[in-house]
Structures are given as structure tokens and as C-alpha cells.
Amino acid sequence: QPDAVFAILDQAFMNGPEPRLSTRVLSGLAKHRALDLCLLALTWHDMHKYELNKYHYNAGLDACARASRWTKALHLVAMMAHRKVEPSTITFNSSITACEKACEWERALLLVSLTFQRKLESDVTTGNAAISACQKASKWGEALQLFGWIEESTIEVDTITFSS
């Protein structure tokens, strides 16, 4: 199957790199929960030395979150760091969500701490996913600490925050 995917990408990009098309392809694969195809497309771009930016990686991370594949998400975050691609709030939110869906609460909290270290703005998704990860693992103390942190921050809360 990788050869077929690579052949399709070879045709689509026969005129060279097109970052917006790359983003659309990767986002479309993520939306359709085609994680393996999305990762193959990222590999293909890398093999052809096409620039991969945070939007491309974020599409891959979205696919990881939709598929609950936290190890793949953390691998993509590590690849971004290795290639000096600056992560965004979306980068971490997708990674935290992948961890949350897989009940990997400790890793979710680690990612939340990285958002602070990098001075990235956290948002309602950051807090909700992390609290939900703690809730799924019955880590109520940690969930309450996160809730307290959210209340002290500028992060807006919603019904999901309270119901988690």
C-alpha cells in the first residue's frame, strides 16, 4: 500500500512542492481518520525534502488524536522538535487529546506542562482534554488541581470542563 500512496503523491506533486496542497491532503486524511495514510504522506514529503511546517504536523497530530494513537502523536511532536518546527497550541492540544483518549493521563499532564514551558497560550481544549484524561484514569486529585489551575488562569471554561 505505501507504493500506491507514494505513486498518487508523485502525481499530485509532479510540479514540485505546494505547501497549501500538502496541508489540504494531510487535513483531509486526518478528517477521514486515515492515520496510516497521513503518516505515509508525511514520510513521502520528508523523503522528497519538502518543507514540513506546523500545519502539516498538526494535521498528522489531528489524525493521531482521532485514532487515539498517543505514541504516534508524541513521535510527531519529537520530529517537530528535531526538525526545529515550532509547535503551536493546536500541536499540544491534539497530542493531549490523543493521550486523553488512550487514558494516558501522565503524558497528558506532561504535555500541559510543556505548553507552559514554551509559553504557549492554553485554551479550553487544553484544560478539558487534560482533565478528561485524569477523570478517565480516576485521578481525581490531579483533575481537581487542573481545575484549580484553569480557574486561576485566563482560560475560559465550558460545560465540558465542569462535567469532566
Side-chain angles (χ1 to χ4, degrees), residues 4-164:
V5 172
F6 291 163
I8 291 168
L9 291 170
D10 285 339
Q11 278 297 81
F13 293 94
M14 72 172 63
N15 294 327
E18 296 180 43
R20 288 187 178 168
L21 176 59
S22 298
T23 303
R24 286 196 311 271
V25 167
L26 293 164
S27 296
L29 291 170
K31 184 191 284 189
H32 288 90
R33 300 180 192 275
L35 174 62
D36 293 334
L37 294 177
C38 192
L39 294 176
L40 279 173
L42 284 168
T43 300
W44 181 90
H45 280 77
D46 194 44
M47 287 175 14
H48 285 78
K49 307 277 190 257
Y50 287 1
E51 176 189 350
L52 288 169
N53 61 39
K54 67 182 174 186
Y55 302 106
H56 302 131
Y57 283 106
N58 286 348
L61 288 163
D62 181 38
C64 292
R66 291 172 188 259
S68 307
R69 301 286 294 275
W70 66 273
T71 55
K72 298 283 187 190
L74 295 183
H75 177 73
L76 286 178
V77 171
M79 283 178 58
M80 288 176 75
H82 177 73
R83 291 186 171 79
K84 296 179 177 35
V85 175
E86 198 61 38
S88 66
T89 301
I90 293 169
T91 303
F92 285 100
N93 285 351
S94 293
S95 302
I96 292 165
T97 299
C99 292
E100 174 256 325
K101 288 184 176 183
C103 298
E104 291 291 331
W105 68 275
E106 292 172 299
R107 286 170 179 83
L109 295 183
L110 175 66
L111 290 165
V112 169
S113 72
L114 287 175
T115 63
F116 286 114
Q117 288 176 10
R118 294 182 170 273
K119 297 184 178 14
L120 291 172
E121 277 192 44
S122 297
D123 60 19
V124 69
T125 303
T126 312
N128 287 350
I131 288 173
S132 181
C134 292
Q135 177 261 326
K136 286 180 179 180
S138 298
K139 297 296 181 184
W140 305 113
E142 288 81 354
L144 287 172
Q145 284 180 329
L146 277 169
F147 188 76
W149 160 74
I150 289 170
E151 283 190 314
E152 292 173 7
S153 72
T154 58
I155 296 174
E156 292 183 31
V157 295
D158 62 10
T159 54
I160 295 171
T161 312
F162 290 106
S163 66
S164 291

